[in-house]
């Protein structure tokens, strides 16, 4: 079956440009997470959606980062006025929301953003 | 303070040998879950194994086992009979809370495993 997909896989932006990164979660998955992974580091949480509701955006590093999931499926992470420190891999993960302690998160392949 | 600590930046092992990747964690929450993920050079995060804080037995999944020592707050990954395809970055991660689906994973910095023939 289809897993989590992300597009584009690679994005090069000039400093100051706006970018939009897309995530298609596994069909039926209620929960959706965005993570940022800097080079040589582990992923760090950015934001969480349950269906269309953004329930936690505590990890967004600045107000230049904005995420949405208007219909409770596809999500877009937008970064305005990109800076060099935004260069990273952006990972999307989805999971069923059944309240079990397990709740494996399935990750997409990521979008590698390079800001010049 | 780091919630997940992986002290081995790199590990080297020969094919068919076993290897242990270390992970210690820090939480005051009595209910938590521990995960190990593999990240090959292609970038995707592949789930390997899960251990719940209340699980009585160590988790096992094929060649992967988790050496869970709750009192020491350690959750080391053991890979038996290493294969060349095991070469990758390995991340230990924790989710705190009693199974709330919206709780994000907290990752360590990872360990790079290199398997040679």
């Amino acid at each position: 079956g289809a897993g989590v997909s992300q597009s584009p896989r690679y994005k090069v932006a000039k400093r100051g440009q706006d970018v939009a990164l897309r995530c298609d979660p596994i069909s039926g998955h209620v929960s959706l997470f965005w993570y940022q992974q800097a080079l040589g580091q582990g992923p760090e949480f950015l934001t969480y959606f349950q269906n269309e509701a953004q329930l936690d955006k505590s990890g967004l590093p600045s107000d230049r980062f904005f995420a949405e999931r208007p219909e409770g499926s596809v999500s877009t992470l937008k970064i305005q006025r990109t800076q060099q420190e935004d260069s990273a891999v952006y990972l999307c993960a989805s999971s069923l929301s059944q309240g079990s302690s397990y709740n494996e998160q399935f990750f997409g392949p990521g979008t590698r953003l390079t800001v010049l | 303070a780091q919630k997940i600590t992986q002290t081995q930046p790199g590990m080297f092992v020969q094919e068919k040998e076993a290897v242990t990747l270390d992970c210690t964690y820090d939480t005051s929450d009595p209910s938590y879950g521990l995960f190990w993920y593999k990240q090959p050079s292609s970038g995707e995060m592949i789930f390997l194994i899960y251990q719940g804080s209340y699980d009585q037995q160590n988790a096992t999944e094929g060649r992967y086992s988790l050496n869970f020592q709750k009192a020491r707050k350690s959750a080391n990954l053991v890979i038996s009979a290493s294969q060349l395809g095991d070469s990758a970055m390995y991340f230990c991660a924790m989710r705190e809370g009693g199974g709330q689906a919206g709780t994000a994973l907290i990752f360590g910095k990872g360990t790079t495993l290199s398997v040679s023939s």
Side-chain angles (χ1 to χ4, degrees):
Chain A
V4 179
S5 61
Q6 292 185 245
S7 60
R9 290 294 314 277
Y10 303 91
K11 177 69 179 177
V12 178
K14 291 183 179 178
R15 190 161 55 98
Q17 281 186 331
D18 298 348
V19 298
L21 313 180
R22 176 187 169 106
C23 171
D24 280 87
I26 293 173
S27 178
H29 278 195
V30 171
S31 297
L32 186 146
F33 299 82
W34 283 98
Y35 293 86
Q36 180 190 58
Q37 185 176 19
L39 187 63
Q41 302 294 314
E44 292 190 354
F45 168 74
L46 293 176
T47 188
Y48 162 67
F49 289 87
Q50 185 176 67
N51 295 307
E52 69 278 6
Q54 188 176 19
L55 299 185
D56 187 350
K57 53 183 180 179
S58 61
L60 296 177
S62 77
D63 57 8
R64 296 186 296 103
F65 286 70
F66 171 76
E68 60 183 5
R69 193 186 184 197
E71 297 179 0
S73 55
V74 171
S75 177
T76 304
L77 176 67
K78 297 178 180 178
I79 309 173
Q80 296 177 324
R81 305 180 304 281
T82 52
Q83 304 294 315
Q84 284 190 320
E85 62 263 29
D86 300 335
S87 296
V89 174
Y90 291 84
L91 294 166
C92 175
S94 70
S95 70
L96 291 169
S97 182
Q98 299 300 325
S100 75
S101 61
Y102 181 32
N103 263 317
E104 177 188 343
Q105 292 184 19
F106 296 84
F107 282 81
T111 295
R112 181 177 297 276
L113 173 65
T114 303
V115 181
L116 302 178
Chain B
Q2 291 285 331
K3 291 227 170 188
I4 296 287
T5 302
Q6 295 181 255
T7 57
Q8 306 153 315
M11 289 287 286
F12 297 87
V13 68
Q14 287 206 312
E15 261 187 306
K16 300 180 186 177
E17 291 185 350
V19 62
T20 298
L21 306 184
D22 294 342
C23 173
T24 56
Y25 59 93
D26 183 25
T27 182
S28 57
D29 197 322
S31 180
Y32 53 89
L34 297 160
F35 300 76
W36 277 92
Y37 281 86
K38 172 184 177 182
Q39 188 176 43
S41 56
S42 52
E44 74 271 29
M45 297 287 278
I46 301 168
F47 167 76
L48 296 178
I49 197 166
Y50 166 81
Q51 180 85 43
S53 59
Y54 295 119
D55 293 345
Q56 295 297 311
Q57 293 190 320
N58 287 346
T60 60
E61 288 286 348
R63 295 186 299 112
Y64 304 107
S65 60
L66 201 152
N67 184 1
F68 181 46
Q69 298 187 42
K70 195 170 181 177
R72 298 178 63 182
K73 292 189 175 179
S74 75
N76 298 341
L77 176 70
V78 180
I79 306 175
S80 62
S82 297
Q83 301 172 355
L84 293 177
D86 293 336
S87 294
M89 181 79 98
Y90 288 78
F91 290 98
C92 179
M94 175 174 65
R95 184 174 61 228
E96 296 171 304
Q100 298 303 316
T103 309
L105 294 171
I106 303 167
F107 287 86
K109 293 189 175 184
T111 296
T112 301
L113 176 65
S114 300
V115 182
S116 59
S117 56

